[in-house]
Amino acid sequence: MTTLGEFLIDLLASYDVDRVFGIPGVHTIELYRGLANSSITHYTPRHEQGAGFMADGYARISGKPGVCFVITGPGLTNIATAMAQAYADSIPMLVISGVNKTQHLGHGNGNLHELPNQSAFAEQVSSFSYSVTHPDDLPKAMARAFAVFSSSRPRPVHIEIPIDLMSASADHLTLPASHPTPSLPCPDEATIKQVAAHCSKATSPLLIIGGGVKGDDRSTQQLAERLGCPVIMTVNARGLLPEDHPLAIPASPSLKSVRALIEASDLVIAMGTELGPTDFDMYENQGFAIPGTLVRVDIDPLQLQRNITPDVCMIGDADLTMRKLVNALPEVTPASSVKEGANRARKTKKDAFDELSTPMQHQVQFLDTIKATLPGAIIVGDSTQPVYAGNLYYSPDSPKGWVNSATGFGTLGYALPAAIGAQLAAPQRPVICLTGDGGIQFTLGELGSAMDAGANIIVIVWNNDGYQEIKNFMLDNNITPEGVTPSSPDFPSIAKAYGLYTEHLSSKEDLPKVLKRVQAEKRPALIQIEEALFTPE
């Protein structure tokens, strides 16, 4: 007999799933029955939150959904934080959990790992939560999940399977011969022409691109050059336009200089961005505005009416819409327009960097040193000071090179497990986990997961003896700091105990050679850096 658990593994493989992150338990062992002999590799974190963050990092870099197996009850509540971060950042994630036996559901008898309504809990951090009540439900649920991932706003999906159904017969089920998915939505030709007419009239256009732009082709660059306009890239879009491109602005709209550019633009096209506060109003001063004509493009029609109401709505996939718009514009752009756009971009970049505090400028230079030393590096960041600085002003040298949890849901503990997932998705690229001494302690045990997975990440611990950013915020608000100096262990010693290679940076001038030495080890490594090394006197 083929069990439903075994069929699930074959079904996942048919959707090109080749990695699963999870911690086995008595409530999920039947999902593992067919795993060992399948084409899917399983990775075991030290905590279900780590599983979710690994899946998130893997999904962001690979473009494929990250898949997790978790037990009912605490397994799902543990992974909920990671699901919420993925939900906020529109990351595809499939969480498959157990749930108590069918006969026990809804009775509240206190069975092991019982939640009153597990599916309702999961719905708060997922596109949808589906409860399998019969083996025939599973293929339908999976088809719905992958339709979300491929043709809608990609967010987590939760599927729960009662433990008695996991071992039920699936002999009558067959794998689909194919997996047809809905077509990507795209604005109609009339709307494309309407926006093209706005473009032809604009004298100071501007393009803002967000994480909804995947950048699988050169459409961003083509559209910018056709319009001759600067391009602002939000945190999740950094690198989509090459850093040396004259129209690229890798700076945050939370900065006054970038806001001045936006306010001086008579046409703003916002592609695949929420226009949300953590990107556009980091300091919560309500100073962000778009007085010119606003065109918004989003795959989610509800998002088009949030934060700022546009003059023109374009419901559709950002990349597909961008290609359509490029084709609707004249092929030749006046040289004067391109020159003017480049001048606007150059001035904004200079003013934005000058606007940063001196410590932040040094932190951006620290990031630039990593980039120059390890070309093509993916920096996966936590909520720590260099990451905040980079979110304000940093450009990776390639797409998908700047990933962090300091926007959106804004969780701590993200960087280490997410870096593992990123490295599994792109083993040919250097992957840097950039985390603080406070944040890494949320998921410190995942150092062992990096060793188990053979993920040759470089963990950089930015040590400032606690939650320095929160301490500064308290001081700025005349609050006596309290609770912001948790003690830290000897991170290099812990890393060595797990088998990692370790270094303790003694001089900022030594950073390039230390990075090269660590990379040459070809195993997971940890570098501890004291913040004082990069603090101007």
Side-chain angles (χ1 to χ4, degrees):
M1 183 184 75
T2 298
T3 68
L4 187 64
E6 291 173 304
F7 179 78
L8 169 65
I9 300 302
D10 291 338
L11 185 60
L12 288 172
S14 76
Y15 280 96
D16 197 29
V17 172
D18 55 6
R19 290 173 173 82
V20 166
F21 307 90
I23 300 177
V26 294
H27 283 61
T28 54
I29 58 170
E30 283 298 332
L31 301 184
Y32 287 78
R33 184 176 294 278
L35 190 57
N37 295 321
S38 74
S39 59
I40 298 174
T41 303
H42 182 273
Y43 299 92
T44 306
R46 299 306 188 263
H47 188 280
E48 286 91 354
Q49 187 179 91
F53 288 147
M54 287 181 196
D56 178 299
Y58 174 78
R60 291 186 196 235
I61 304 305
S62 70
K64 298 167 61 175
V67 181
C68 302
F69 286 175
V70 298
I71 64 167
T72 182
L76 186 64
T77 56
N78 283 345
I79 203 173
T81 296
M83 292 174 69
Q85 184 72 47
Y87 184 93
D89 287 348
S90 301
I91 304 303
M93 180 187 298
L94 176 60
V95 177
I96 299 173
S97 80
V99 71
N100 293 101
K101 291 182 179 180
T102 309
Q103 68 195 67
H104 295 154
L105 295 177
H107 296 299
N109 291 330
N111 289 287
L112 182 64
H113 302 327
E114 183 177 12
L115 274 176
N117 190 335
Q118 181 173 272
S119 183
F121 173 84
E123 282 180 346
Q124 306 308 306
V125 288
S126 61
S127 179
F128 70 88
S129 176
Y130 191 102
S131 301
V132 173
T133 59
H134 188 278
D136 291 6
D137 293 342
L138 185 58
K140 301 171 187 176
M142 199 69 70
R144 283 182 57 189
F146 278 83
V148 168
F149 301 148
S150 64
S151 307
S152 181
R153 185 173 187 171
R155 280 174 157 167
V157 168
H158 170 243
I159 298 175
E160 64 177 15
I161 306 174
I163 56 177
D164 54 320
L165 283 188
M166 293 179 189
S167 56
S169 174
D171 283 341
H172 65 292
L173 297 177
T174 57
L175 294 174
S178 62
H179 298 299
T181 57
S183 300
L184 286 168
C186 184
D188 57 58
E189 292 300 323
T191 306
I192 294 288
K193 290 180 180 179
Q194 179 187 5
V195 174
H198 279 294
C199 293
S200 66
K201 297 175 185 177
T203 58
S204 54
L206 177 68
L207 182 61
I208 302 176
I209 59 172
V213 179
K214 303 307 178 187
D216 295 329
D217 55 22
R218 296 178 64 253
S219 296
T220 299
Q221 184 171 334
Q222 290 174 338
L223 181 57
E225 292 172 353
R226 290 282 176 94
L227 294 173
C229 74
V231 180
I232 296 171
M233 292 168 278
T234 68
V235 169
N236 287 328
R238 297 285 174 83
L240 289 181
L241 200 63
E243 60 176 334
D244 58 353
H245 195 285
L247 297 173
I249 301 177
S252 171
S254 294
L255 295 171
K256 294 178 182 177
S257 49
V258 181
R259 289 179 170 184
L261 173 70
I262 295 171
E263 291 171 9
S265 301
D266 60 354
L267 173 66
V268 176
I269 302 176
M271 292 266 187
T273 172
E274 292 181 320
L275 295 177
T278 56
D279 259 310
F280 291 83
D281 194 19
M282 176 178 166
Y283 296 108
E284 298 184 349
N285 56 19
Q286 286 76 51
F288 179 74
I290 302 179
T293 300
L294 173 61
V295 176
R296 291 189 68 176
V297 180
D298 205 290
I299 202 168
D300 180 358
L302 296 179
Q303 191 58 45
L304 287 169
Q305 299 300 327
R306 294 186 179 121
N307 295 315
I308 299 180
T309 302
D311 297 289
V312 182
C313 290
M314 302 180 80
I315 301 172
D317 173 74
D319 291 86
L320 181 56
T321 303
M322 203 176 292
R323 289 194 291 272
K324 293 274 190 180
L325 188 53
V326 166
N327 292 334
L329 294 173
E331 292 187 12
V332 178
T333 305
S336 58
S337 297
V338 177
K339 183 179 179 180
E340 174 60 21
N343 288 338
R344 293 164 65 206
R346 182 168 55 253
K347 181 180 186 303
T348 302
K349 283 190 287 188
K350 180 184 181 304
D351 291 348
F353 185 78
D354 291 344
E355 188 179 333
L356 299 178
S357 66
T358 301
M360 280 191 166
Q361 289 179 347
H362 283 257
Q363 290 157 18
V364 170
Q365 290 164 357
F366 162 73
L367 297 173
D368 286 338
T369 299
I370 296 174
K371 176 174 63 179
T373 306
L374 302 175
I378 300 169
I379 298 179
V380 182
D382 225 307
S383 293
T384 193
Q385 288 185 315
V387 173
Y388 291 130
N391 281 350
L392 287 175
Y393 193 101
Y394 173 72
S395 177
D397 60 6
S398 54
K400 300 180 181 179
W402 180 248
V403 173
N404 65 76
S405 63
T407 60
F409 197 59
T411 183
L412 280 166
Y414 172 87
L416 176 53
I420 296 170
Q423 206 281 330
L424 294 174
Q428 75 285 359
R429 294 177 67 178
V431 176
I432 311 296
C433 160
L434 179 54
T435 182
D437 58 295
I440 193 175
Q441 294 188 69
F442 280 60
T443 50
L444 185 58
E446 305 304 347
L447 290 173
S449 302
M451 291 297 298
D452 291 348
N456 296 331
I457 61 173
I458 299 172
V459 180
I460 295 179
V461 179
W462 183 268
N463 196 326
N464 53 27
D465 298 320
Y467 303 130
Q468 188 64 44
E469 192 70 18
I470 304 304
K471 180 180 179 179
N472 292 344
F473 194 70
M474 286 179 165
L475 291 171
D476 291 343
N477 286 274
N478 298 315
I479 297 172
T480 301
E482 184 64 47
V484 291
T485 55
S487 59
S488 295
D490 183 338
F491 293 111
S493 293
I494 290 177
K496 285 180 182 177
Y498 275 113
L500 280 76
Y501 176 79
T502 66
E503 291 261 7
H504 195 142
L505 190 69
S506 58
S507 167
K508 68 178 183 180
E509 289 76 21
D510 290 340
L511 181 59
K513 66 181 181 183
V514 168
L515 287 170
K516 290 178 181 178
R517 189 159 61 232
V518 163
Q519 186 188 34
E521 282 290 317
K522 300 198 180 301
R523 57 170 164 150
L526 181 144
I527 304 171
Q528 179 159 305
I529 296 177
E530 308 303 328
E531 181 192 48
L533 292 179
F534 292 88
T535 301
E537 297 180 359

